[in-house]
Amino acid sequence: MRARSVGYSIYMVLSIMASLTIAAIPAILFFGWFLLHFTNFLNSIGFPFSTLYDWALPLLSGTFDPIVIQYFWVFVLFVPVGLTCYAIFLGSLLGLFKLSRRGIPFLEDGYYSSDTEAWLLYEYYEIYYVLFPYFAGFFSVFLDTKPRHQAFGCKIGNNTVVGNGRLFNPERTIIGDNCFFGYDAILSGHVYESGRLYLKTVKLGNNVTVGANAVVLPGADIGDNVIVGANTVVPKDTTIPSNTIWVHGKAIPRKSKPVAEKLHQPIGGPPPLDPEDEADIPENGERL
């Protein structure tokens, strides 16, 4: 068992180093082509690039070094091209990390003792997902993190905003439609307890709101139209029924209808009657 653990350790380190190196190659090649040929390429297109270049040439020639003239478009477009190279690197790195992850066995849901190889395999399997945000942090400021979680196996429905929520185990997370996560809300598919590692998928229904700093532990099954209060904990293997608010360790029925249901009600006029109330309508059609 120890020999296998050492082998997986070496594989993890080498795969990460190789992924970083290989992912950088296309970005470097693109940037090198940009430095050497981009100015001539744009000028060869003609209007408006050649016109702008001819207009700027006399203004720059007496003030800046000739190298600025030679690499005019490099300086003008340095920031967008730099971001493009960064995106190429991240896209390549994501694909390589996903590929490298396949070399580590995936553990099924259940308990695993700390003195077994499984604990180490779990940590190695997750490290690719943990490392990637350190390289993609710049884009995460401007873009939703949902695509990154999906790339590592999370199932997320339509119109769901992960935002500043944190998914510890995307491959063990299922989220429905129209869900929202408050700041630092955590969904975890694992927990350590009494020298054991417990793994189980977390499931969220539709129209679920998880408040800021709330923690949802493995095995939790949250129904539709549920609000998980801020700073609350949903213990492992807890089932929260639909149309409730989870606060102080218990589910409280919601008194008002969820927003999704209110949107389908007609605007103006009396609210629609329930079938049970139809018997109370007199023959003239007026409400009692």
Side-chain angles (χ1 to χ4, degrees):
M1 183 179 70
R2 179 170 297 181
R4 288 186 56 188
S5 299
V6 172
Y8 282 123
S9 301
I10 295 174
Y11 169 81
M12 179 200 65
V13 174
L14 292 180
S15 64
I16 291 174
M17 294 176 61
S19 297
L20 292 172
T21 303
I22 296 173
I25 292 176
I28 293 173
L29 291 176
F30 176 78
F31 190 73
W33 175 86
F34 170 74
L35 288 177
L36 296 176
H37 305 291
F38 202 64
T39 296
N40 294 333
F41 171 73
L42 289 182
N43 289 334
S44 65
I45 295 177
F47 182 84
F49 302 106
S50 60
T51 303
L52 180 60
Y53 180 78
D54 294 338
W55 172 80
L57 185 60
L59 297 177
L60 299 176
S61 58
T63 306
F64 294 94
D65 192 89
I67 194 172
V68 177
I69 308 300
Q70 181 181 356
Y71 295 102
F72 173 76
W73 288 112
V74 173
F75 289 99
V76 172
L77 300 176
F78 184 82
V79 172
V81 170
L83 291 176
T84 301
C85 294
Y86 180 44
I88 293 173
F89 168 75
L90 288 181
S92 303
L93 185 64
L94 177 60
L96 290 167
F97 270 7
K98 290 178 62 179
L99 182 63
S100 300
R101 203 184 196 195
R102 295 183 179 181
I104 307 294
F106 175 77
L107 299 180
E108 300 297 332
D109 291 351
Y111 283 97
Y112 297 91
S113 176
S114 60
D115 57 358
T116 63
E117 183 185 61
W119 192 308
L120 189 64
L121 292 179
Y122 164 76
E123 298 290 350
Y124 287 172
Y125 188 84
E126 296 295 336
I127 196 168
Y128 300 97
Y129 171 72
V130 173
L131 280 179
F132 186 76
Y134 288 97
F135 299 98
F138 179 80
F139 280 163
S140 297
V141 175
F142 305 100
L143 303 175
D144 186 21
T145 56
K146 176 179 175 179
R148 171 166 58 87
H149 300 309
Q150 289 176 314
F152 282 95
C154 182
K155 298 178 181 178
I156 305 179
N158 299 322
N159 302 318
T160 289
V161 178
V162 178
N164 290 316
R166 302 166 65 187
L167 310 184
F168 283 177
N169 305 95
E171 72 284 352
R172 301 181 195 275
T173 305
I174 301 175
I175 304 173
D177 300 333
N178 307 311
C179 295
F180 178 81
F181 294 83
Y183 184 79
D184 262 359
I186 294 175
L187 266 62
S188 177
H190 79 280
V191 66
Y192 299 100
E193 51 181 22
S194 303
R196 295 189 302 173
L197 170 67
Y198 180 54
L199 303 174
K200 194 169 183 181
T201 300
V202 177
K203 299 178 182 179
L204 271 67
N206 301 322
N207 307 308
V208 175
T209 298
V210 183
N213 299 307
V215 179
V216 181
L217 294 178
D221 190 351
I222 301 176
D224 298 336
N225 307 313
V226 171
I227 296 177
V228 178
N231 301 303
T232 58
V233 176
V234 180
K236 66 174 186 177
D237 297 326
T238 299
T239 299
I240 301 179
S242 299
N243 302 309
T244 58
I245 300 175
W246 179 264
V247 63
H248 301 307
K250 59 182 179 180
I252 303 173
R254 298 180 64 169
K255 294 182 179 180
S256 60
K257 292 185 178 180
V259 175
E261 294 185 16
K262 292 181 180 180
L263 293 176
H264 295 289
Q265 291 184 358
I267 299 176
L273 285 176
D274 293 331
E276 298 178 356
D277 298 333
E278 292 182 356
D280 296 331
I281 302 177
E283 294 182 357
N284 59 9
E286 296 180 356
R287 296 175 182 267
L288 296 176

